[in-house]
Coordinates of all heavy atoms in Angstrom, one line a residue:
H1066 N 1.0 6.9 -3.1 CA -0.2 7.1 -2.5 C -1.1 5.8 -2.9 O -1.3 5.5 -4.0 CB -1.0 8.3 -2.8 CG -2.3 8.4 -2.2 ND1 -3.2 9.4 -2.6 CD2 -2.8 7.8 -1.0 CE1 -4.3 9.2 -1.8 NE2 -4.0 8.4 -0.9
M1067 N -1.6 5.1 -1.9 CA -2.4 3.9 -2.1 C -3.7 4.2 -1.2 O -3.6 4.4 -0.1 CB -1.9 2.6 -1.6 CG -2.8 1.4 -1.9 SD -2.2 -0.2 -1.0 CE -2.7 0.3 0.7
A1068 N -4.9 4.1 -1.8 CA -6.1 4.3 -1.2 C -6.9 3.0 -1.2 O -7.3 2.6 -2.3 CB -6.9 5.4 -1.7
S1069 N -7.0 2.4 -0.2 CA -7.6 1.0 -0.2 C -8.4 0.8 1.1 O -8.8 1.7 1.8 CB -6.5 0.0 -0.3 OG -7.1 -1.3 -0.5
G1070 N -8.8 -0.5 1.3 CA -9.6 -0.8 2.5 C -10.7 -1.7 2.1 O -11.1 -1.9 0.9
D1071 N -11.4 -2.3 3.1 CA -12.3 -3.2 2.8 C -13.8 -2.5 2.3 O -14.8 -3.3 2.1 CB -12.6 -4.3 3.8 CG -13.4 -3.9 5.0 OD1 -13.4 -2.5 5.2 OD2 -13.9 -4.6 5.7
R1072 N -13.8 -1.2 2.4 CA -14.9 -0.5 1.9 C -14.7 0.0 0.5 O -15.5 0.7 -0.1 CB -15.2 0.7 2.8 CG -15.7 0.3 4.3 CD -17.1 0.1 4.3 NE -17.7 -0.3 5.5 CZ -18.9 -0.5 5.8 NH1 -19.8 -0.5 4.9 NH2 -19.2 -1.0 7.0
R1073 N -13.7 -0.4 -0.1 CA -13.3 -0.1 -1.5 C -13.0 -1.4 -2.1 O -12.7 -2.4 -1.6 CB -12.0 0.9 -1.5 CG -12.2 2.2 -0.7 CD -11.0 2.9 -0.5 NE -11.2 4.4 0.0 CZ -10.3 5.0 0.5 NH1 -9.0 4.6 0.6 NH2 -10.5 6.2 1.0
P1074 N -13.1 -1.3 -3.6 CA -12.8 -2.6 -4.3 C -11.5 -3.3 -4.0 O -10.6 -2.5 -3.7 CB -13.1 -2.2 -5.7 CG -13.8 -0.9 -5.7 CD -13.5 -0.3 -4.3
F1075 N -11.5 -4.6 -4.1 CA -10.1 -5.3 -4.0 C -9.1 -4.8 -4.8 O -7.9 -4.9 -4.5 CB -10.5 -6.7 -4.0 CG -9.3 -7.7 -3.6 CD1 -9.0 -7.9 -2.3 CD2 -8.5 -8.0 -4.7 CE1 -8.0 -8.7 -2.0 CE2 -7.2 -8.8 -4.4 CZ -7.0 -9.2 -3.0
S1076 N -9.5 -4.4 -6.0 CA -8.5 -4.0 -7.1 C -7.7 -2.7 -6.6 O -6.6 -2.4 -7.1 CB -9.2 -3.6 -8.3 OG -10.1 -2.6 -8.2
S1077 N -8.2 -2.0 -5.5 CA -7.6 -0.8 -5.0 C -6.2 -1.2 -4.2 O -5.5 -0.3 -4.0 CB -8.4 0.0 -4.2 OG -8.9 -0.6 -3.0
R1078 N -6.0 -2.4 -3.9 CA -4.9 -2.7 -3.0 C -3.7 -2.8 -3.8 O -3.7 -3.2 -5.1 CB -5.2 -4.1 -2.4 CG -6.5 -4.1 -1.6 CD -6.6 -5.3 -0.7 NE -7.9 -5.2 0.2 CZ -8.2 -6.0 1.1 NH1 -7.5 -7.2 1.2 NH2 -9.3 -5.9 1.8
G1079 N -2.5 -2.5 -3.2 CA -1.4 -2.5 -3.8 C -0.7 -3.8 -4.0 O 0.0 -4.1 -5.1
E1080 N -1.1 -4.8 -3.2 CA -0.8 -6.2 -3.5 C -1.9 -7.1 -3.5 O -2.8 -7.0 -2.8 CB 0.3 -6.7 -2.4 CG 1.6 -6.0 -2.2 CD 2.5 -6.5 -3.5 OE1 2.5 -7.5 -3.8 OE2 3.2 -5.5 -4.1
P1081 N -2.0 -8.0 -4.4 CA -3.3 -9.0 -4.6 C -3.2 -10.1 -3.5 O -3.2 -11.2 -3.9 CB -3.0 -9.4 -5.9 CG -1.6 -9.5 -6.2 CD -1.0 -8.3 -5.5
V1082 N -3.2 -9.7 -2.3 CA -3.2 -10.6 -1.2 C -4.4 -10.3 -0.4 O -5.1 -9.3 -0.5 CB -1.9 -10.6 -0.4 CG1 -0.8 -11.1 -1.2 CG2 -1.7 -9.2 0.2
R1083 N -4.8 -11.3 0.7 CA -5.9 -11.2 1.4 C -5.8 -9.9 2.4 O -6.8 -9.2 2.8 CB -6.1 -12.4 2.2 CG -5.1 -12.7 3.3 CD -5.5 -13.8 4.2 NE -4.5 -13.9 5.3 CZ -4.7 -13.3 6.6 NH1 -5.7 -12.5 6.7 NH2 -3.8 -13.4 7.4
T1084 N -4.7 -9.6 3.0 CA -4.5 -8.4 3.7 C -4.2 -7.1 3.0 O -3.9 -7.3 1.7 CB -3.4 -8.7 4.8 OG1 -2.1 -8.9 4.1 CG2 -3.7 -9.7 5.7
I1085 N -4.3 -6.0 3.6 CA -4.1 -4.7 2.9 C -2.5 -4.5 2.9 O -1.8 -4.4 4.0 CB -4.9 -3.6 3.6 CG1 -6.3 -3.9 3.5 CG2 -4.5 -2.3 2.9 CD1 -7.2 -3.0 4.3
A1086 N -1.9 -4.4 1.8 CA -0.5 -4.3 1.6 C -0.2 -3.4 0.5 O -0.8 -3.4 -0.5 CB 0.2 -5.6 1.6
T1087 N 1.0 -2.8 0.5 CA 1.4 -2.1 -0.6 C 3.0 -2.1 -0.7 O 3.6 -2.4 0.3 CB 0.9 -0.7 -0.6 OG1 1.4 0.0 -1.9 CG2 1.6 0.1 0.4
R1088 N 3.5 -1.9 -1.9 CA 5.0 -2.1 -2.1 C 5.6 -0.6 -2.0 O 5.2 0.3 -2.5 CB 5.3 -2.6 -3.4 CG 6.7 -3.0 -3.5 CD 6.9 -3.9 -5.0 NE 6.2 -5.0 -4.7 CZ 6.6 -6.4 -4.7 NH1 8.0 -6.4 -4.8 NH2 6.0 -7.5 -4.6
L1089 N 6.7 -0.5 -1.2 CA 7.7 0.8 -1.0 C 8.9 0.7 -1.7 O 9.6 -0.5 -1.5 CB 7.6 1.1 0.4 CG 6.4 1.1 1.3 CD1 6.7 1.5 2.7 CD2 5.4 2.1 0.7
T1090 N 9.4 1.7 -2.2 CA 10.8 1.8 -2.7 C 11.5 2.8 -2.0 O 11.0 4.0 -2.1 CB 10.7 2.0 -4.3 OG1 10.0 1.0 -5.0 CG2 12.1 2.1 -4.8
L1091 N 12.5 2.5 -1.3 CA 13.3 3.6 -0.5 C 14.7 3.7 -1.4 O 15.6 2.9 -1.5 CB 13.8 2.9 0.8 CG 12.7 3.0 1.8 CD1 11.5 1.9 1.6 CD2 13.2 2.7 3.3
P1092 N 14.8 4.9 -1.9 CA 16.0 5.3 -2.7 C 17.3 5.3 -1.7 O 17.1 5.4 -0.6 CB 15.8 6.7 -3.3 CG 14.3 6.8 -3.2 CD 13.7 6.0 -2.0
P1093 N 18.5 5.0 -2.3 CA 19.7 4.9 -1.4 C 20.0 6.3 -0.8 O 20.0 7.3 -1.4 CB 20.8 4.6 -2.4 CG 20.3 5.0 -3.8 CD 18.8 5.0 -3.8
G1094 N 20.2 6.2 0.6 CA 20.7 7.3 1.3 C 19.5 8.3 1.6 O 19.8 9.4 2.3
E1095 N 18.2 8.0 1.4 CA 17.2 8.9 1.7 C 16.4 8.5 2.9 O 16.4 7.3 3.3 CB 16.2 9.0 0.5 CG 16.8 9.8 -0.7 CD 15.8 10.3 -1.6 OE1 14.5 10.0 -1.3 OE2 16.1 10.8 -2.7
T1096 N 15.7 9.5 3.5 CA 14.8 9.3 4.6 C 13.4 9.5 4.1 O 13.1 10.6 3.7 CB 15.1 10.1 5.8 OG1 16.5 9.7 6.2 CG2 14.3 9.8 6.9
L1097 N 12.5 8.6 4.3 CA 11.2 8.7 3.9 C 10.2 8.7 5.1 O 10.5 7.9 5.9 CB 10.7 7.7 2.9 CG 11.6 7.6 1.4 CD1 10.9 6.6 0.6 CD2 11.6 9.0 0.7
T1098 N 9.1 9.4 5.0 CA 8.1 9.4 6.0 C 6.9 8.7 5.4 O 6.4 9.0 4.3 CB 7.6 10.8 6.5 OG1 8.8 11.4 7.0 CG2 6.5 10.6 7.5
V1099 N 6.4 7.7 6.2 CA 5.1 6.8 5.6 C 4.1 7.2 6.6 O 4.2 7.0 7.9 CB 5.5 5.3 5.8 CG1 4.2 4.5 5.3 CG2 6.7 5.0 4.8
L1100 N 3.0 7.8 6.0 CA 1.8 8.1 6.7 C 0.7 7.2 6.3 O 0.5 6.8 5.3 CB 1.4 9.6 6.3 CG 2.3 10.8 6.7 CD1 1.8 12.0 6.2 CD2 2.4 10.8 8.2

């Protein structure tokens, strides 16, 4: 879970870049849903 946005501090972002981004890990053979 990542809660971010430009109404929240920059430190809430998953990646320290100008756009809102976060890192995902997909285990082998699994199906994940990203909301």
Side-chain angles (χ1 to χ4, degrees):
H1066 182 194
M1067 180 195 73
S1069 186
D1071 76 338
R1072 292 279 175 178
R1073 294 165 177 168
F1075 185 81
S1076 58
S1077 65
R1078 300 189 179 183
E1080 293 289 321
V1082 294
R1083 68 173 189 88
T1084 57
I1085 301 172
T1087 187
R1088 192 169 296 246
L1089 307 178
T1090 302
L1091 282 74
E1095 286 194 7
T1096 299
L1097 302 180
T1098 300
V1099 180
L1100 295 176

